[in-house]
Structure formats: C-alpha cells, structure tokens
Amino acid sequence: MNAWLKLQYEVIRIQFMKMLAYRVVYFTGVFNYAINIGAYYFLWEAIYRHRSLIGGLTLEQMVTYVAVAWISRTFYFNNVDREIADDVRTGKVAVELARPYDYLTFKISGALGEALFRLFFFTVPGSIFVYLLFPVAWPASMASFGWFGLSIILSFAVNNAINLLTGMTAFYTLNTTGIIRAKHISIDLLSGLVVPISLFPEGLQLWLKWLPFQSIAFVPTMIYTGALQGDALVDALSRQFLWALLLSVLAWALFAIARRKMVVQGG
Amino acid sequence: MIEALGLTKEFRLFQRREGVMGAVRDLWDRDYQTVKAVDQIDLKVNRGEMVGYIGANGAGKSTTIKMLSGILVPSSGHLVVNGFVPHKERVEFCRRIGVVFGQRSQLWWDLAVSESFRLLSRVYRIPESVYRQRLDRFVELLEMADFLHIPVRKLSLGQRMRCELTAALLHHPDLVFLDEPTIGLDVLAKDRIRRFLSEINQELGTTVLLTTHDLSDIEALCSRVVMIDKGKIVYDGSLGKLQDSFGQGRTIKVDFSAPVNLAELHASFGHLPVRWETPESRRAIATFSAKEVAPAEVMKILIDQYPVLDIAIDATKIEEIVKEIYQGSVMV
C-alpha cells in the first residue's frame, strides 16, 4: 500500500509539472472558460429582458446554473480519451503494457493528478472571479454544498469512464477524431452544460434520465442550487455512482477484449 | 529463462476491394485475411545469455518480442518466461523485465530525464537509497550527467538512447528485451552502448535478447544468433558459423575521375574472383567474397592503376543473408 501511495504521489507530481510545462495551454484554457461563461451570461440576460421566468427559473438562478456548470467542468474535464487514442495510434500502448501496472488504472491516476491541478489552478480562482463579476447565488445550504462536492467527484468518475471508452475505440478504428468530437458534443449538450435539462422537451427529458450524461453536469449543478433534496438527492447520487461503476466495468472489459486482438502500430 | 514451444501469433488483416463499388461493398461485407506473423517457433534461452535476434523487416522479430514481454497475447503455443506466463501474469512478470524499443520512447517527453527516472523508480518500487546509488552508477557509465535535467524532447538520439537503456535497467531486471537499441546512432554512440550492455550482462547476469539490423552489434555482444524469416526460425546457432557460411560477401563502389571500361577492369583483376559492373562510365561496382579475396588487395590494385576519386566498401546486409537462406541458395 505504501509503494502504491508513493507511486500515486509521484504521478500527481509529474502531472502538475506537465500541466505547468504548457503555460500557453493553461492560459488559453482560463481564457476559454471566461469567454464561455461571459457569453452565456449575456445571452441569458438578453433572453430574460422581456420575461422574468423561463422554465421556472429566474435570471439569477439561470446565471448561477450556467456559472456553476461551467466552473464544475474546469474540474472534471480532461483529455484522457485523446491520450489513449494517441497511445494506441502511435503504438505507445506497447511501452505501457511492458510496465508493471494496469494501463487504465495508471491513466486514471494521471487524470486524478490533472483534476487536482485543475482544482487549484482553474476551479478555485475561476470561482472567485465568477462570484465577483456575475450575480451568482451562494449554494442553497452548507449541506447542499457538501453534497455538491461529492457529486462533482462522481461527475469526474462518470466523465472519466466515458473518456476511457471513447479513447479505446482507437483499437477498432484508426480515425478517432470524429468519435472524440461526437463525444464532446454529446456531453456538452446532453449533460445539461449548455442548457439546463429541465428546459428540454418532456419526452426527451425522460430518455435522458436513462443515459449517463446528466450525471456529469446537470445533477451536481441542481444539487448546488438546492433543487435536489431528500429522496431525489439520494436517487440522483445513486444514479451517478451506478453509472460510474457500470461504465468503469465496461471500460475494463473492453480493454481486456481489445488486448487480445491488439495489433501494435509501427511493427 | 525463455521457453517457447510452437509459439504462434496470427493477425486478421482487412482486405480492401478495388474500385468505388468495392469500397461501397466493404462498408458492410468485409473480407479478412489471416496472416501468421510468428509461425510455430521454438526458442530456448538460458539465464545470462545474450542472444541476437535478427531478420528482415516484417519477418516477425518485433511480434515475437512483444509476445515474450507480455504485450501481445499469443494465438497459440506454450510460453514461459522467467517462470511466468507473460500475458497472464503481466504485472508481476513486468516487474522483473526491462524493454527498450529503439523507435519509441518510454520516457516522458516534456519532462526532464531525471523526472522520468524518478517516476520509474516508484513504478518498479525501488527503495530511495538503492535508486540513488544505481542512478549514479548509470550516469557514470553512460556519461549522462550533462543532460539529466534537460527535457527528453531536446535530447539527441544518442543521448536519448542512453536514457532509454537506463530506464529499462534501473530496476535490475532478470531479462531485458532490446528492440533495435542502436538504430540511427553513429559509431561512437553504438560503441558506448555495446560496452555498457556487456558490462551490465557480466556484472548482473542479465539475460539479453536483442534485435538489430546491424550485424556488428551482434558481433560485439552475442555469441548466439537466432534468425527469423516469414515467421519461422531459419537459423539458431553461433555467429561465427553464420558469418563463415555467408557473411563474407563484400561490395566495393568506386568513383573515377575519368571513364573506365569494363573489359579493362576485368583484365586488371583477371587473377582474382571479382565480378565487376559499370552502371555509369565513371563508376564501377565490385562484388566478391572476403574469404577468397582480401578487400585491401582489391583497393590497392584500384588505387595503383586507376584514377580513383572515392571508394565505399559494404559488407553483406542481414536482409541479403536472410534472402539467401530463404531462397535456399546457402545451406546452413
């Protein structure tokens, strides 16, 4: 266990250094989030100019929703899908498989390191700016904030499992760019990041309830605002947990199958 | 150390049909062809041996190494390496082996070399004090002190390869697979790496399986050579015997400052079994066997009698030897 912890620590440290090595990527990342949150703020403000309620939400609630959803994304988002696809495409996966660790576990360790980095360098400073610049509400209660914290960790787990699966499609098709882009769009739209799911047509909402996407953005954000309480809260958190578990099991199963048929690129 | 019996790896390759209609049909009805990259090979390597594994491109060298190191799952056959079935007990097995793929880095591209080593010391659970001691030793042996703190992407190929070897050997593995460790290196760098490998082999008793296109790597390191062609082992024995049989072919390419003619060349070398060609009026190519004719003698005659500008001498390449064996023109 001690050796395992030492390795985790080292992986996280390496991940921090890697992220800091790419200063330009970091600063453009900050810029992108600022633009997105700002753009959605002005968009919703314009939409609300002639109405006071949309889908039962006030402007302040809507702005809070958008800001919290985007700020949460700074934490759970990563490019593990592209990393895995590149490992497979370039044949680097062979090097990884010659090491005494489980490939997917090692990828998740790296993703955890990145999430920690993002927490300190994107999420926290981003939150402070957003609270100062826009009329964003505080969490509904201390309890809501606590549950929100748990929920956001589960968001990370669900999103990460989807990324593992998306990346591993590279074992079957060499053109993963399209699949990764499709995944990005699906998650941004169907997770409720861009528009709250409560504004979707009712039939669609029913379908989305059976998909993993809303576990990523909609659920934690609704917990933050206090819209999910009691049984609904327990139900939402359990769904997140089950999706994280199910998708992770699928990811490992897919890896085991893919490994048997693997062809290492480049000899 | 390595015990393989009937080891086989098949790949299913997708055959594209020709033309637009064929491509449309490929969308739902795909044709696959099974290719045997490694076909029923038997291989036994003892502890402490250094074995050269050679063969032409696509002969099945890398696929064999990838099965032996647990990366690829064999299609059939029996395989035990260092007491493990590699693909089944991969994680435990990998703790005791090292791998270098010359064409592919195992270091973290954007970080200083020393950071990669540190991370690997954690991956292989090397105690801190032992790690320090070993790293110091490797740094000294491979003269790496100057670039230990430079990001990997800024290293020269020779520097990088020294780091790759360190990365593969820091945990003192029982067995190390080296897939073209000297590819693209200059003579000095190759020499340094060879000296290092034989030192490690003697000091730690590390078993080494090495693939290469450069016969001189094997000359310097391996007493035993295994040759593979089209997935099958075609030679397994000493290097000396291999070279005596057919490693003696030489070609000399000569550029002259004035045109020469073929008959004249054949006349000057009439007493020696040398075959001449003149692809251009001022250029000639000689082929002969070093067993029958000393290359120096050929060069001396050339320089004494002709207006020579430039001379290049080549030994027979492994590919050519393999080709000869496969075509059955040389019997082992």
Side-chain angles (χ1 to χ4, degrees), chain A residues 120-148:
Chain A
F120 288 119
F121 289 91
F122 280 115
T123 316
V124 170
S127 310
I128 294 169
F129 267 105
V130 165
Y131 277 109
L132 291 176
L133 289 177
F134 305 111
V136 174
W138 293 99
S141 65
M142 275 310 279
S144 295
F145 190 66
W147 291 120
F148 165 74

Side-chain angles (χ1 to χ4, degrees), chain A residues 9 20 49 95 106 118 120 125 155 158 199 220 236:
Chain A
Y9 168 78
L20 287 168
R49 202 152 286 159
V95 174
F106 195 73
R118 288 171 161 274
F120 288 119
S155 297
V158 174
L199 298 191

Side-chain angles (χ1 to χ4, degrees), chain A residues 42-119:
Chain A
F42 291 115
L43 177 70
W44 285 112
E45 202 192 30
I47 295 170
Y48 271 90
R49 202 152 286 159
H50 304 288
R51 316 168 64 162
S52 56
L53 277 181
I54 294 174
L57 294 172
T58 64
L59 174 62
E60 197 206 12
Q61 284 171 322
M62 186 61 85
V63 170
T64 303
Y65 181 93
V66 168
V68 172
W70 278 95
I71 288 288
S72 307
R73 189 181 192 266
T74 62
F75 171 72
Y76 64 71
F77 181 86
N78 61 41
N79 286 317
V80 166
D81 47 359
R82 199 181 312 151
E83 276 174 38
I84 293 179
D86 284 348
D87 281 356
V88 174
R89 195 174 46 80
T90 60
K92 194 169 173 282
V93 71
V95 174
E96 296 283 330
L97 281 173
R99 294 217 175 111
Y101 49 61
D102 179 77
Y103 176 64
L104 294 184
T105 311
F106 195 73
K107 281 289 162 202
I108 292 182
S109 298
L112 270 173
E114 183 173 342
L116 268 181
F117 175 88
R118 288 171 161 274
L119 181 67

Side-chain angles (χ1 to χ4, degrees), chain A residues 246-257:
Chain A
L246 177 71
L247 292 171
S248 302
V249 168
L250 272 178
W252 261 271
L254 178 64
F255 189 71
I257 296 168

Side-chain angles (χ1 to χ4, degrees), chain B residues 117-128:
Chain B
F117 293 157
R118 241 183 96 90
L119 181 50
L120 286 171
S121 80
R122 295 280 189 260
V123 165
Y124 290 99
R125 302 181 185 163
I126 308 170
E128 183 73 26

Side-chain angles (χ1 to χ4, degrees), chain B residues 2-183:
Chain B
I2 298 177
E3 203 189 287
L5 276 175
L7 192 64
T8 301
K9 179 74 190 178
E10 293 174 346
F11 290 116
R12 226 160 54 118
L13 286 185
F14 165 47
Q15 297 288 117
R16 287 184 192 282
R17 293 187 176 87
E18 273 179 35
V20 176
M21 287 316 289
V24 172
R25 239 189 105 191
D26 278 343
L27 286 177
W28 67 89
D29 177 23
R30 293 195 141 189
D31 234 358
Y32 289 96
Q33 193 191 16
T34 306
V35 176
K36 281 189 175 155
V38 173
D39 189 3
Q40 300 266 349
I41 66 166
D42 300 336
L43 183 66
K44 215 174 132 101
V45 176
N46 296 318
R47 196 167 288 273
E49 253 192 301
M50 286 184 107
V51 176
Y53 193 48
I54 58 179
N57 289 324
K61 288 189 306 260
S62 291
T63 307
T64 314
I65 290 226
K66 278 168 190 146
M67 283 193 282
L68 297 181
S69 54
I71 294 165
L72 289 179
V73 182
S75 307
S76 65
H78 163 86
L79 179 65
V80 176
V81 182
N82 202 16
F84 293 93
V85 177
H87 72 276
K88 282 196 182 139
E89 305 151 281
R90 193 182 63 78
V91 171
E92 278 314 303
F93 168 71
C94 286
R95 260 183 224 301
R96 308 291 320 138
I97 65 157
V99 178
V100 171
F101 295 113
Q103 322 216 43
R104 191 165 284 145
S105 182
Q106 56 185 322
L107 306 161
W108 281 261
W109 204 239
D110 312 296
L111 299 175
V113 186
S114 55
E115 301 292 349
S116 287
F117 293 157
R118 241 183 96 90
L119 181 50
L120 286 171
S121 80
R122 295 280 189 260
V123 165
Y124 290 99
R125 302 181 185 163
I126 308 170
E128 183 73 26
S129 57
V130 178
Y131 161 69
R132 290 257 151 251
Q133 211 183 324
R134 286 185 191 170
L135 185 61
D136 287 349
R137 172 110 175 90
F138 282 124
V139 167
E140 188 198 311
L141 273 177
L142 289 166
E143 296 164 47
M144 301 191 297
D146 295 341
F147 51 86
L148 218 44
H149 300 287
I150 295 176
V152 176
R153 66 187 137 84
K154 290 188 183 161
L155 297 182
S156 74
L157 188 60
Q159 292 172 330
R160 208 200 81 207
M161 210 53 89
R162 284 181 263 167
C163 297
E164 300 282 352
L165 284 171
T166 305
L169 290 162
L170 259 181
H171 55 293
H172 285 187
D174 299 325
L175 166 66
V176 56
F177 298 101
L178 306 171
D179 195 358
E180 311 211 11
T182 57
I183 193 165

